[in-house]
Amino acid sequence: MNKTTNQDPVVVRNPTPSWRAILLCVLASMGSAAWAGTPLRVCYVDDRSGVAADTGIQSFNGFQIAVSEINDAGGINGQKVEVVSYDGKTDPQLTATFASRCAEDDGALAIVGGNPSAPAAAMIPVASEYEIPYLMLSAGTDNLTDMPAPFHFRVGPRNAQDAAAIAELIARQGFKRVALINNSLPFGTDSAHATEAALKTSGVPVVIQQTYDINATDLSPQIGRLRSANPDVIVVFPYAADGARVLRTLQQQGISLPRIVARSALLNTLRELAGDASDGVLVPNTVDMQRPDVKKFFDSYKTRFGEAQPTMYPVLGYDAAKMFLQAIADPAVQKALAADELADARVAIRDALIRNGNYQGLQGHAGATYQFGPDRHHGPPDQNWFVFVQVADKGKHLVAADLATFKPGS
Amino acid sequence: MKSLNTARSMLAGPALILLVGALVPLLLTSGFHLRLVTIICIYTILCTGFNLLYGYAGQISMGQQGFFALGAYAFTLLMSAGNWSFWSALPAALLICAGVALLIGIPLLRLRSHYLAMATLCFGLVFAGIASRWIEFTGGTAGMMVPSVKFSGHIVSRTELYYAILLIMVLVLVMQNFIVSTHMGRALMSLRGDETAAQSLGVNVTAWKLRIFILSSVLAGLAGIASAVVNRQVNPSFSEFPILVSILTIAVVGGLGTRYGALLGACVVVIAPQGLAAFGESETIIYGVCLLLFLMFMPHGLSGLIPKLFGRIRRKAASPAPGVVKAGEIKP
């Protein structure tokens, strides 16, 4: 069994090469999951080398900071927390297999992870089957936590909430002619439709909506049509690389209208590729840098992993870990752990997550709390959660949005 | 005597696989390991169809993942939305796969080589698009939950499910061996060699191409249904590139146009990521390098390696030890 203890206090257990046990069936028969007597174990399964690697890596870093904090303080009732991590590579089948490995072989108390929607969705049946709590992160597909959701919870906002926040900002800032442009993937189309519906409710007309293929290299036709519709604000729902192409094409065609780009602009990749074409863009975020606790967290992040822009991704990992660690300390969970009952401990953690449902984490405005409950496994509330940030310095930095100048005609 | 040998070659391998497979749950104590072995069986079913189509008949299809997803979605929709029983939904879903394969096969199979590959790839892409965007019908990116399989109130356990899928896989392998061992196999291999020459020898090229395309699509659909039942969920990722990449990797690693290449390749493709997880960030690079080495040094895959090894051992056993003189041989 490979066991690597880093210099930092987080114990990262490299998974055992149990494939040998499969090849040599006899050895495999000895490979039962022995949970008793081991440290408190939690699994982190996310994409850390696929298309959404930025989100997975940043969330894992945030997750490790929370675990380090608790281990530095002596653990929970003297027991250290051990992290087993797997890279799902954005492959839902592989991700689901790792999740079942967490539940069975690793004997984890909970699973955390899931930034892209498809792999996150693939872990839900595993969580339900093994009755293991699963905290998914920024997977935005709206119906992922629709009831029944026996053991899974969502820490990040859903796409419809992003759309509502964007629509509310547009209405508040006095825009009257909105242009929407989105890629043809589900994230793009779903978000554009949700925003259109939210704008309709607010009484703001959408003058044009354009869809492009994510791999299209020339976006001039779509941007040309946007210009012809004479909008006063442009909202973009892209992935990273195509989002940069949209912004560069807008710049090349001399369109300097106010622009809002969906949460994909929180990713460094989009802003690095777009360069100065991304400057001034507004992005919905859930991290308020005015909060001292948020500032402190990002200082700690910088010390350990290097500078990170204030985005939701590290915070999601941190908040999910904190909620899980708080649940472990619950007396009912401790009782089940003392009795060496893994299944009971998992159920007790699920119940504790619901009991502590109004947890105040680092997402949202000061005072806003998660809203988990027996009939609600989606944490972020609809109010006081989103904070808009603005891209600056040729895409390098995210700063507080200057809403006084983000007006029609600016 | 010849027919006895043929029967032995058709049944011996699958019988051994069934025997070993039947013992696996007794040796494994972890449900996770059982899940891995079940996934190996599913990939073997999927890739046996691809092997018959491409390995034996030489017709490249890049749309197998589309049929994999079609089978899974059809089965799930019939079970959950249509309230069909398992025994009705299973054959109906396979019939849907066969019908769609027939419909698209008639125009597409006029194409050859990379044109056929591109056309079938489009089918996979179209299906992925439909599965993602027809949200009211397919559940969109979140997909749909698959109800547990029940027989007279009894929910089929994971081990029972494994045995069922193992049995199906063995039957699929027997069917493949039967096809390969008979005139059907020779007809398919003649297509791979030269379609014009095959036609001049009396092989109905169009009919055989269509038959094998439908069969491979039905097998892909069957694997998709098994995957949906095991994962308890179906989502658009069933029709996306990771599945196609797995099929192609299994073909490279296991060996195309061989009887057990699909099984050997599936073992490697399913188990390797679990073993390589220990290498952390280097995992993807190591996996890629290993695949490259396979292509360079084992172009016929693991199936090509095994006869080589046996041949070497046999030659070694047959060659006389130094100084030993065979009967009738005069030592100078």
Side-chain angles (χ1 to χ4, degrees), chain B residues 71-84:
Chain B
Y73 270 101
F75 174 79
T76 309
L77 282 165
L78 289 171
M79 286 267 285
S80 54
N83 283 325
W84 288 35

Side-chain angles (χ1 to χ4, degrees), chain B residues 227-280:
Chain B
S227 186
V229 172
V230 168
N231 288 308
R232 304 269 166 87
Q233 194 203 38
V234 55
N235 59 50
S237 72
F238 275 51
S239 54
E240 286 172 0
F241 277 105
I243 299 289
L244 177 61
V245 171
S246 295
I247 294 171
L248 296 175
T249 312
I250 288 169
V252 168
V253 174
L256 273 168
T258 59
R259 293 187 182 201
Y260 303 107
L263 177 60
L264 292 170
C267 288
V268 173
V269 164
V270 173
I271 294 166
Q274 301 299 324
L276 291 175
F279 293 97

Side-chain angles (χ1 to χ4, degrees), chain B residues 45 90 162-173 222 226:
Chain B
I45 298 168
L90 178 67
Y162 161 72
Y163 278 123
I165 294 171
L166 171 72
L167 188 64
I168 293 169
M169 180 195 78
V170 168
L171 290 174
V172 166
L173 288 174
L222 184 61

Side-chain angles (χ1 to χ4, degrees), chain A residues 2 14-23 25-26 28-32 48-49 86-87 89-94 96-98 100-101 104-105 117-118 121-126 128-130 141 143-144 184-186 189-190, chain B residues 20 24 26-37 39-40 43 68 132-133 135 139-143 145 158 227 230-233 235 237-238 240 242-243 246 267 270-278 280-281 283-284:
Chain A
N2 291 331
N14 283 329
T16 57
S18 59
W19 56 282
R20 287 178 199 149
I22 293 284
L23 290 172
C25 292
V26 177
S29 66
M30 301 189 301
S32 63
R48 285 188 284 137
S49 64
Y86 296 107
D87 175 8
K89 300 184 180 63
T90 334
D91 180 343
Q93 308 294 325
L94 185 64
T97 302
F98 279 137
S100 87
R101 184 171 176 176
E104 283 248 8
D105 275 28
S117 284
M123 286 196 273
I124 291 173
V126 178
S128 304
E129 185 182 354
Y130 289 99
T141 301
N143 56 0
L144 285 182
S184 56
L185 294 181
T189 51
D190 292 357
Chain B
V20 173
V24 163
L26 306 176
L27 296 167
L28 302 178
T29 52
S30 160
F32 160 66
H33 291 150
L34 194 63
R35 179 189 163 91
L36 287 185
V37 187
I39 294 173
I40 289 172
Y43 273 126
F68 183 78
S132 302
R133 288 171 215 160
I135 297 166
T141 40
M145 301 301 278
R158 184 196 288 270
S227 186
V230 168
N231 288 308
R232 304 269 166 87
Q233 194 203 38
N235 59 50
S237 72
F238 275 51
E240 286 172 0
I243 299 289
S246 295
C267 288
V270 173
I271 294 166
Q274 301 299 324
L276 291 175
E281 288 173 2
E283 175 196 344
T284 311

Side-chain angles (χ1 to χ4, degrees), chain A residues 286-298 315 319 360-369 384-385 387:
Chain A
T286 57
V287 175
D288 181 0
M289 281 304 277
Q290 305 304 315
R291 286 175 54 177
D293 49 353
V294 174
K295 268 187 182 168
K296 191 181 161 200
F297 167 76
F298 277 99
V315 165
D319 275 4
Q360 183 168 4
L362 297 184
Q363 281 198 96
H365 292 276
T369 65
N384 288 327
W385 205 251
V387 179

Side-chain angles (χ1 to χ4, degrees), chain A residues 211-228:
Chain A
T211 302
Y212 60 87
D213 186 88
I214 188 168
N215 296 316
T217 48
D218 180 20
L219 298 169
S220 317
Q222 287 89 348
I223 301 298
R225 282 194 283 274
L226 284 193
R227 180 208 285 270
S228 308

